[in-house]
Amino acid sequence: MSETKKPVPVRLTYDVWLNDGERTPAGTVVSVSLGEAKALIANGKAERADPLPGE
């Protein structure tokens, strides 16, 4: 089953450098790919802003 291309919103719990070294501050809700959202959450850098697809 392929991952969806639809962006997934997550709330950052730490400052993260997402786009070309641009710092995105903690507390910001950003939309990223499902894989990137799962990686950020697994690393403790973000929390779900809504349920992930398929859950």
Side-chain angles (χ1 to χ4, degrees):
M1 184 177 239
S2 64
E3 289 189 355
T4 181
K5 300 276 185 195
K6 183 179 176 183
V8 178
V10 294
R11 179 173 293 105
L12 300 176
T13 56
Y14 287 87
D15 290 358
V16 180
W17 284 256
L18 294 174
N19 300 320
D20 298 324
E22 182 181 326
R23 183 177 147 259
T24 306
T28 304
V29 175
V30 296
S31 291
V32 295
S33 69
L34 179 59
E36 194 170 3
K38 287 182 176 183
L40 286 167
I41 292 167
N43 290 321
K45 303 287 184 184
E47 58 189 19
R48 291 167 52 167
D50 71 343
L52 295 176
E55 291 187 356

